[in-house]
Amino acid sequence: MGYCYHTIQTAQLHHNNKRRHHKKNNNTTTMSSIQQFLLGLLLSSLTATTTVSSFHLPSTASFQIRTRHHANKSSSPRSTSSLQMGLGEMEVLEYDVAIIGGGPAGCTCALYTSRADLKTIILDKNPATGALAITSHIANYPGVDRTMSGGELLDQMRVQAIQYGTRYEKAQVFMIDVKEEETGDSTYTKCVYTPDFTIKARSLVLATGAMGRVGKPFPGEKELLGSGVSYCATCDGAFYRDSEVAVYGASTEAIEEAMFLTKFASTVHWVVPTDIEKELQGGMDVEKNKIMDHDEAMQLMSCPNVKLWTKTKLVEVIGDFNGVTGVRVNHRGSDDDEVIPVEGAFIYGNGGGSKPITDFCQSKVELDEAGGVIVDESMMTSVSGVYAVGDIRNTDYKQVVVAASDGCIAAMAVEKFLNNRKMVKVDWIHR
């Protein structure tokens, strides 16, 4: 589950193929580079019949901000802004607390901050692919029947947070800003960027877990990262309109990313190492693949522009100075490799790993040698107002109850921080 850190780099590459190019505008009196990129991505997705080889916003570009105030706490954010220009508009939402990650740590934190009357939003890439979501049974969480699945427990946590006013959005986060000098806002000093909207927040909680890939990259993967290799179809899909792309992996994440790519690519080559057709037909034990949503897999396979390469392993990503030109694969039982000509390679492996997912942070917070976010006893990171909870801390105690505890601690610390309290306010009042 890689949160895409290379999207800006991808957007700045200029290739002689169908990929889009976004130039960076250094005029700080107009639009920031990140705003230009987000708007470029939006325009790319709206011009389906137009072939564009280069996209550049002039330095005289102007934009208009609209703000709407709402009195109802639970129905909508305190204020909503829209960046308007050209064919579309990019929402800018303002919150007291932005939480990246919808696992037990993130949901617990949201429950507590919402109960403290702090406007809270959860940004969750995929509710079905976290460590808890793919756990078949929960036997050691206090008060929970041992027949309950991890997904069921997580659903209850999410619903409970929403019932207390949390807004939940399924969104891919690819970049954050964490300081006033980066955001230019003395009140909302944190910014979270997604392809669909931007969140401005007074505090930020990182709760993306630790299921990042830890295995050795495929040959060519590292070298072509940002030049055709991607871990985020939502971020980079618009660059591959009318092009052929490959998606490697049999997880729900891979399936959903491949489905998104079908809106842009002429052909999506779905490469899976398992005998997925036999599994979907019920010929294999479903318990062997908890990370794949079978209904979504069937839906993907029914798309006319999807070609399935079953029982096929990815061997190498190949390319040149212009970027990816193909992927080398090997079909089970074959002595010879085959090259699939593609311009993009979206690699999700065959499941998750145990590496803390911090690539979207872009070194904005301090990490330990193993890649975990360093926090103090209140879960605050090296940056004031930014907290990290759950497995992203790279703790040895990777348990649901520990993650939930982290979320509770961070929420109380956030409430203390935002209200300038000297002491933590304990949430004993039942409402």
Side-chain angles (χ1 to χ4, degrees):
M1 191 196 308
Y3 281 71
C4 178
Y5 67 90
H6 66 285
T7 305
I8 303 303
Q9 176 187 5
T10 303
Q12 293 172 344
L13 293 171
H14 191 187
H15 301 318
N16 296 323
N17 54 24
K18 298 177 183 177
R19 221 166 290 153
R20 276 71 175 157
H21 173 57
H22 302 268
K23 288 187 179 180
K24 196 173 184 180
N25 185 356
N26 292 321
N27 188 345
T28 57
T29 62
T30 56
M31 297 182 69
S32 69
S33 60
I34 187 65
Q35 288 171 327
Q36 292 183 33
F37 165 69
L38 291 171
L39 187 54
L41 181 61
L42 177 63
L43 292 175
S44 295
S45 65
L46 290 172
T47 55
T49 59
T50 305
T51 301
V52 181
S53 59
S54 178
F55 178 82
H56 176 57
L57 286 175
S59 60
T60 56
S62 62
F63 56 92
Q64 177 184 5
I65 298 293
R66 296 185 312 183
T67 303
R68 300 191 300 273
H69 294 279
H70 304 272
N72 189 330
K73 170 181 176 289
S74 61
S75 61
S76 54
R78 179 176 298 137
S79 62
T80 303
S81 303
S82 296
L83 174 64
Q84 295 185 313
M85 182 163 179
L87 299 176
E89 60 179 36
M90 179 67 68
E91 280 191 296
V92 181
L93 309 175
E94 295 176 352
Y95 280 85
D96 295 320
V97 186
I99 301 173
I100 305 175
C107 286
T108 302
C109 185
L111 170 64
Y112 275 76
T113 56
S114 292
R115 282 172 55 86
D117 288 327
L118 296 175
K119 187 66 69 174
T120 302
I121 185 170
I122 292 177
L123 303 173
D124 193 11
K125 180 182 178 182
N126 192 328
T129 57
L132 178 58
I134 65 173
T135 301
S136 59
H137 296 91
I138 297 294
N140 57 359
Y141 191 86
V144 170
D145 189 282
R146 63 182 181 179
T147 62
M148 178 179 285
S149 70
E152 290 171 334
L153 176 59
L154 185 57
D155 288 344
Q156 290 188 9
M157 292 180 172
R158 186 185 310 115
V159 169
Q160 189 177 15
I162 293 172
Q163 288 175 338
Y164 276 99
T166 298
R167 177 171 175 175
Y168 176 91
E169 291 289 343
K170 188 175 179 181
Q172 167 78 55
V173 173
F174 61 83
M175 182 177 174
I176 59 174
D177 284 330
V178 296
K179 296 180 180 180
E180 180 181 344
E181 49 264 38
E182 296 172 334
T183 64
D185 192 321
S186 60
T187 301
Y188 297 96
T189 57
K190 324 299 177 191
C191 276
V192 182
Y193 301 98
T194 81
D196 300 313
F197 51 81
T198 297
I199 301 296
K200 296 175 66 177
R202 297 168 60 204
S203 62
L204 177 62
V205 180
L206 311 178
T208 47
M211 289 189 68
R213 292 180 57 208
V214 293
K216 183 179 180 181
F218 294 100
E221 177 183 351
K222 183 177 180 181
E223 292 79 4
L224 292 166
L225 180 61
S227 299
V229 171
S230 175
Y231 308 131
C232 176
T234 309
C235 305
D236 300 334
F239 299 131
Y240 299 95
R241 190 180 302 280
D242 300 324
S243 301
E244 295 195 29
V245 300
V247 175
Y248 182 69
S251 64
T252 297
E253 179 186 26
I255 293 168
E256 291 190 347
E257 298 283 84
M259 183 65 71
F260 182 84
L261 286 166
T262 61
K263 298 191 296 184
F264 301 97
S266 59
T267 302
V268 176
H269 297 271
W270 184 24
V271 183
V272 293
T274 60
D275 189 349
I276 195 169
E277 291 177 309
K278 182 178 180 181
E279 181 173 351
L280 292 174
Q281 291 170 1
M284 296 177 65
D285 186 356
V286 177
E287 292 291 326
K288 290 184 178 180
N289 199 346
K290 284 288 183 181
I291 62 173
M292 183 182 70
D293 187 304
H294 289 213
D295 291 335
E296 291 188 359
M298 294 293 291
Q299 183 182 0
L300 177 61
M301 291 171 60
S302 68
C303 293
N305 59 338
V306 172
K307 181 176 180 180
L308 175 64
W309 297 71
T310 187
K311 296 184 290 185
T312 303
K313 291 185 177 182
L314 178 61
V315 176
E316 178 186 11
V317 182
I318 56 179
D320 53 28
F321 64 92
N322 280 328
V324 169
T325 58
V327 291
R328 189 182 307 279
V329 299
N330 181 267
H331 188 74
R332 188 187 303 171
S334 174
D335 294 330
D336 299 321
D337 295 341
E338 183 175 354
V339 174
I340 307 173
V342 296
E343 293 184 20
F346 293 79
I347 301 173
Y348 302 98
N350 194 29
S354 57
K355 180 181 178 181
I357 300 170
T358 59
D359 42 12
F360 66 96
C361 295
Q362 297 182 305
S363 303
K364 296 294 178 70
V365 295
E366 290 185 7
L367 308 178
D368 61 25
E369 294 181 355
V373 179
I374 299 173
V375 298
D376 62 17
E377 62 180 9
S378 69
M379 302 296 158
M380 186 180 286
T381 69
S382 57
V383 179
S384 179
V386 180
Y387 302 78
V389 293
D391 291 354
I392 194 174
R393 299 194 297 112
N394 200 37
T395 173
D396 292 332
Y397 307 102
K398 292 180 172 64
Q399 297 292 311
V400 180
V401 68
V402 175
S405 174
D406 283 1
C408 171
I409 293 171
M412 291 184 172
V414 166
E415 196 275 341
K416 174 186 173 185
F417 171 78
L418 293 181
N419 290 305
N420 296 313
R421 299 184 189 278
K422 293 183 178 180
M423 301 291 291
V424 170
K425 182 180 179 181
V426 180
D427 181 20
W428 291 124
I429 302 174
H430 299 281
R431 287 179 286 174

